[in-house]
Amino acid sequence: MFTTIPVWEVDQYIEYNGNVMIIDLRSSNSYQKGHLKGAVNLPYEEYDYWKNQLPRDKTLIFYCARGGQSMNVCRHLESMGYHVINLANGISYYRGKYMVRG
């Protein structure tokens, strides 16, 4: 089973782990309004196009607006052998210092 972390723990991954890729699954419009520092925007609706292009040598941290889409992606990618982490409840609860406003 993949790991799910509370939203406030993502700061530790941003600060201390250089071998992570943070992926924002929201629409590009939502991403542009605000996202986690260093996050890559790969919209959930385009999953079939980008799922096979992810690095296998990194820990992939996924988030969406409320947590459902990222949980689905993590479940699927873990079964394909990726090391994934789901951000619980989505980015709407994040109040940390790494939010980049658009």
Side-chain angles (χ1 to χ4, degrees):
M1 183 74 178
F2 59 87
T3 302
T4 296
I5 61 170
V7 70
W8 57 85
E9 281 187 20
V10 75
D11 286 3
Q12 295 172 358
Y13 287 90
I14 293 170
E15 292 171 3
Y16 303 114
N17 193 337
N19 200 35
V20 299
M21 180 177 181
I22 302 173
I23 300 165
D24 185 323
L25 296 171
R26 299 172 305 146
S27 69
S28 56
N29 189 35
S30 293
Y31 175 83
Q32 290 172 3
K33 290 179 182 176
H35 58 271
L36 288 176
K37 178 182 177 184
V40 176
N41 184 221
L42 298 175
Y44 180 78
E45 291 76 21
E46 299 171 15
Y47 176 70
D48 288 335
Y49 297 106
W50 54 257
K51 68 181 177 186
N52 294 318
Q53 300 174 17
L54 297 170
R56 291 192 174 268
D57 61 339
K58 291 187 179 288
T59 298
L60 307 175
I61 301 175
F62 289 93
Y63 70 89
C64 59
R66 292 183 297 274
Q69 292 176 333
S70 58
M71 188 168 36
N72 289 336
V73 167
C74 285
R75 187 178 296 124
H76 185 253
L77 290 176
E78 183 189 45
S79 72
M80 295 171 57
Y82 287 94
H83 183 247
V84 295
I85 295 175
N86 177 46
L87 198 58
N89 300 317
I91 196 64
S92 58
Y93 289 96
Y94 182 76
R95 300 292 181 264
K97 61 185 175 182
Y98 292 110
M99 181 58 85
V100 176
R101 300 283 176 200

